[in-house]
Amino acid sequence: MLFAADKGDINTIIGGIAPDWGPFGSLGNEAKVMIEVIMAVAILLCLGIAVWGAAKQRIGATALRDTFSAEQGKGLIIAGLTGVFIIGSLGTLFTIVYGMAV
C-alpha cells in the first residue's frame, strides 16, 4: 500500500505559498513570517472574492434571472483567481527581476 502523505509534513504544505527567498534571504525571521502571513491572508481574501463571485453569478443567473448580477459575478471570479495567481508568483517575479538587475 502506498500512502500519498507518507514523507510530507506541514512545512511542505505551508512552503507552497511561501516565496523562494533568493535575494531576500538576508531578511530576519520575523520579517519573513510577516510576509508569509500577509501573503496567506491576501490569498484567502482573493479566494473569498472568487467564491463570492461564483455565488453571485449562480444566484443572478438562476434565481433572479438578473444578467447584470451574473456578469458581475463572472468578473469577481476572474479578479479573485487572478489575484491568487499574482500573489502566488510574486516570489518568483521578484527573484527574476533581481537576477536580471544583477
Side-chain angles (χ1 to χ4, degrees):
M1 183 182 292
L2 177 66
F3 293 104
D6 189 29
K7 299 174 188 169
D9 59 356
I10 191 67
N11 289 330
T12 58
I13 297 170
I14 295 173
I17 60 171
D20 179 21
W21 293 103
F24 304 105
S26 62
L27 288 175
N29 274 342
E30 292 84 9
K32 288 181 183 180
V33 169
M34 285 302 298
I35 292 171
E36 290 172 0
V37 167
I38 290 170
M39 287 176 72
V41 168
I43 286 175
L44 289 176
L45 248 161
C46 288
L47 286 175
I49 289 171
V51 168
W52 180 37
K56 194 168 191 170
Q57 184 182 26
R58 178 75 176 154
I59 291 170
T62 57
L64 303 176
R65 304 277 187 232
D66 182 12
T67 58
F68 178 72
S69 182
E71 288 297 320
Q72 194 176 21
K74 193 184 307 182
L76 287 172
I77 293 170
I78 292 170
L81 294 179
T82 303
V84 168
F85 174 75
I86 290 172
I87 293 168
S89 61
L90 276 178
T92 304
L93 291 175
F94 284 145
T95 304
I96 290 171
V97 169
Y98 179 81
M100 291 174 70
V102 171

